[in-house]
Amino acid sequence: MITSALPTSRAKSYEPAAPDDSITAWALAARGGDADAVEQFVGALHRDVQRYVAHLCGDPQAVDDLAQDTFLRALGSLHRFEGRSSARAWLLSIARRAVIDSYRYAAARPRLIDVPDWQLTAELAQPCDLPGFDDGIALLDLLASLPDDRREAFILTQLLGLPYAEAAEVSDCPIGTVRSRVARARATLMGLLDEAGQTAALAV
């Protein structure tokens, strides 16, 4: 029986991402009560879930709570997971619902302060000692300028590495819509990069 307490992951944020087949196998083993598989499953996807909810939610202080809520929901629903889709896509769908539910809950209650700073949360979650950190911050700045739907599609497919079909499943929209959103996001980002390059050239 799987408890509601999340295991402490030994996985480091800089370790290579586990293949989807392995993650799905861990999820199926965890469904049978394998405690080691639960830890592997949580450790492999914890960072992806945090990054995804950070891009979706408007409250950076809520990211950790939403990630934990996502895993608690997932662990409580593992008995229904049959491996027909990847465990990563299945879990990110749950994360998306957790964020939506948090919006609905917040809408029913007055909020004293609203700080829509998902970007800061994503920056703080990224390890500063890795090559390309500055490039990562620059990308986050550019992503912030995209419409929400295009940013989500780009993050799912280009940053988290989901196939378009699974990104469509997570986003609850047709695969063609995801492809269109990603293409438009890329075009916008390329335009912004070109503008930034021209600005930098003029400054020299």
Side-chain angles (χ1 to χ4, degrees):
M1 179 178 180
I2 298 171
T3 64
S4 60
L6 294 181
T8 301
S9 172
R10 292 190 295 264
K12 302 296 184 182
S13 60
Y14 51 77
E15 289 181 352
D20 279 350
D21 288 347
S22 296
I23 294 172
T24 300
W26 289 328
L28 292 171
R31 184 183 64 175
D34 185 331
D36 288 338
V38 172
E39 183 172 350
Q40 295 280 4
F41 172 66
V42 172
L45 292 178
H46 191 266
R47 180 166 170 74
D48 280 358
V49 170
Q50 282 192 316
R51 291 173 67 187
Y52 185 50
V53 299
H55 285 293
L56 290 182
C57 80
D59 184 357
Q61 297 181 352
V63 171
D64 286 340
D65 288 341
L66 286 169
Q68 181 164 354
D69 183 32
T70 297
F71 281 105
L72 290 176
R73 292 184 185 205
L75 295 179
S77 303
L78 270 176
H79 62 283
R80 294 197 295 269
F81 177 67
E82 299 180 352
R84 294 178 181 173
S85 62
S86 76
R88 188 190 304 270
W90 175 75
L91 185 63
L92 292 177
S93 295
I94 293 175
R96 193 172 197 269
R97 286 196 296 272
V99 173
I100 291 172
D101 288 347
S102 74
Y103 280 137
R104 290 173 178 166
Y105 179 80
R109 294 176 175 270
R111 298 185 65 179
L112 300 178
I113 186 168
D114 185 16
V115 185
D117 200 354
W118 60 266
Q119 184 177 352
L120 175 62
T121 299
E123 290 175 5
L124 293 176
Q126 183 167 346
C128 299
D129 58 343
L130 294 184
F133 176 72
D134 291 339
D135 292 339
I137 299 302
L139 177 59
L140 290 173
D141 288 338
L142 295 178
L143 285 173
S145 66
L146 296 175
D148 291 346
D149 55 353
R150 296 181 192 176
R151 184 171 67 240
E152 180 186 15
F154 188 88
I155 290 166
L156 287 172
T157 59
Q158 308 305 304
L159 298 187
L160 300 184
L162 258 64
Y164 284 93
E166 294 186 359
E169 179 184 339
V170 171
S171 302
D172 194 25
C173 67
I175 187 173
T177 300
V178 173
R179 293 185 185 279
S180 175
R181 289 173 180 174
V182 172
R184 291 179 180 181
R186 281 177 173 165
T188 300
L189 292 173
M190 290 302 295
L192 292 172
L193 286 171
D194 286 343
E195 290 178 9
Q198 292 173 3
T199 302
L202 291 175
V204 174

